[in-house]
Every structure is written in structure tokens, then in C-alpha cells.
Amino acid sequence: GDSVTQMEGPVTLSEEAFLTINCTYTATGYPSLFWYVQYPGEGLQLLLKATKADDKGSNKGFEATYRKETTSFHLEKGSVQVSDSAVYFCALSDPNAGNQFYFGTGTSLTVIP
Amino acid sequence: DAGVTQSPTHLIKTRGQQVTLRCSPKSGHDTVSWYQQALGQGPQFIFQYYEEEERQRGNFPDRFSGHQFPNYSSELNVNALLLGDSALYLCASSLYGGRSNEKLFFGSGTQLSVL
């Protein structure tokens, strides 16, 4: 079945450091891939997405590239800010499964000044 | 324009009780999905409602049931509560069909504690 595996946390970085959060997936079809972010006390917000192989999703300085050959969708940001502190979830939507969403376990990021 | 709203925000129940959680989708959306997020875990899909019918269901027991109303709002009911049902319950709304299902908008959730 479909699944998402993402890097265990928590991750603590200094401001302006480079961020990578790894995500790999297993899917029966050709899924769309997403990164969602959850701030304390809030629901999940879509950060970026990619719908086909080699697509790059980007938003607010974050980027992730859909790599079919390695079944990966790693999240990167060149210079993190304190305001980026949150929990990040990698997810997939599989059209072979009625576009049901599968989420990873989440990676908590804390950015210190 | 209101986003997805859920009520209540917090709830405390005891084992064996029943609970009802409510969700109003984002304006213009017709599909509601429910997710369970246990502490330290990612959201797990419970089921999806469209046109007042359950369209998809995840790996959850029959104790979990739902309903969708003509105005697209939805309820999640859990019977015979277990300690393991303690979690954040998230509602997500979207437009039904094809790739449009990908645009999920989430509410802030209902935190359920079972004692």
C-alpha cells in the first residue's frame, strides 16, 4: 500500500542555516506530493506541492523536487528563520486510491536566534 | 471568507462514552474528509463525505461513523470510546473529483481526550 516515510526529528537549527528534511514515498500509481506545515495550535497548511516527476514545488523560500527515480521529495530551504519553527509533514495523494492522502509522521523544526 | 471551522476545540470524555465532532467546510467546497492525528504522528485518513454519502474509508472500525448535511457540513461520531481514541481530529474540505481533490484545506482540529 501507499506510505510516506520522513526524517525523524526533532531538528534544531540556528537562524540562517540550511534546512533539509528528507521524505521518501511508496505508491501504486503516480501520486502528487505535498509538504504541509503545522504551527502550534493550528491545522495543517499547504506549503508546496508537485504533481509529476521532475516538478519543483516552491513557496516562501522552501523548495522540493519530485524525484521518481529515487521516490523522494526532500524539503529544502537555504536560510531558515525563527518564524519557520513548526512541524512539517510530507504527504502524497494517489489517484489510484481515490486521491486519498497519506501523511508522514512529521518533523518538528525549531529555529533558534 | 471563513475557512474550515471545527467545534468544539477541546473535549474530555470517559471510556465507553460517545462523542460527536462538527465541521463546516470552506465556502465553495463540497467534500469533507476526517483525519485522526495521534500525538507525535501524522494524520490518518478516517473517511470522506460527498453528496451526503461516505465515498472512501480508511482503516478505522465501525465505531467511527459520520454524516454530511445538505449544506456540506459534517459530523464525526465515535461510539464506545477507548483510551486510544485520544487524538486531534482534523477536518479537511475540498472540491470533489479528479485533481481538485488535492487542494485540502484543514481546520484547526478538535482535541479529544478520553479518560
Side-chain angles (χ1 to χ4, degrees):
Chain A
D2 293 2
S3 66
V4 174
T5 302
Q6 67 179 100
M7 179 176 140
E8 297 275 337
V11 174
T12 302
L13 295 173
S14 297
E15 207 166 21
E16 299 184 3
F18 184 84
L19 168 71
T20 299
I21 301 178
N22 291 337
C23 171
T24 57
Y25 69 90
T26 302
T28 54
Y30 295 93
S32 294
L33 302 174
F34 306 81
W35 278 99
Y36 277 83
V37 58
Q38 187 174 34
Y39 298 101
E42 298 184 13
L44 279 70
Q45 301 174 26
L46 178 65
L47 179 60
L48 54 85
K49 72 173 189 178
T51 58
K52 61 183 187 297
D54 300 326
D55 267 4
K56 178 186 282 188
S58 61
N59 185 26
K60 299 180 181 180
F62 291 89
E63 292 183 340
T65 300
Y66 189 143
R67 301 287 187 199
K68 191 170 184 295
E69 64 277 13
T70 54
T71 62
S72 65
F73 193 55
H74 305 320
L75 182 68
E76 296 182 337
K77 186 175 186 183
S79 176
V80 294
Q81 305 300 313
V82 172
S83 58
D84 294 327
S85 298
V87 181
Y88 292 81
F89 292 92
C90 185
L92 70 83
S93 169
D94 188 347
N96 283 7
N99 289 322
Q100 179 179 326
F101 270 67
Y102 296 84
F103 286 86
T105 55
T107 301
S108 175
L109 170 66
T110 300
V111 180
I112 55 177
Chain B
D1 177 25
V4 180
T5 58
Q6 293 186 241
S7 64
T9 54
H10 295 82
L11 206 50
I12 299 174
K13 293 287 188 178
T14 57
R15 281 178 297 175
Q17 284 189 312
Q18 178 264 344
V19 68
T20 298
L21 311 182
R22 295 176 176 82
C23 172
S24 292
K26 179 180 168 62
S27 178
H29 283 180
D30 56 11
T31 302
V32 172
S33 302
W34 287 92
Y35 288 79
Q36 180 194 66
Q37 185 179 10
L39 188 64
Q41 299 297 314
Q44 299 289 315
F45 176 72
I46 302 175
F47 42 55
Q48 179 192 74
Y49 276 82
Y50 169 67
E51 288 189 334
E52 303 178 48
E53 290 187 12
E54 183 182 295
R55 298 292 176 163
Q56 294 182 66
R57 188 177 184 92
N59 189 25
F60 278 80
D62 292 345
R63 298 187 298 108
F64 290 76
S65 64
H67 188 76
Q68 186 180 33
F69 299 93
N71 67 353
Y72 308 121
S73 67
S74 176
E75 290 182 349
L76 164 65
N77 301 292
V78 187
N79 295 322
L81 283 167
L82 304 173
L83 295 179
D85 295 331
S86 297
L88 179 67
Y89 288 85
L90 294 167
C91 171
S93 75
S94 60
L95 284 171
Y96 189 78
R99 290 293 186 184
S100 64
N101 254 352
E102 300 170 355
K103 291 182 173 65
L104 285 185
F105 289 81
F106 283 87
S108 298
T110 294
Q111 183 65 55
L112 173 65
S113 298
V114 182
L115 306 179

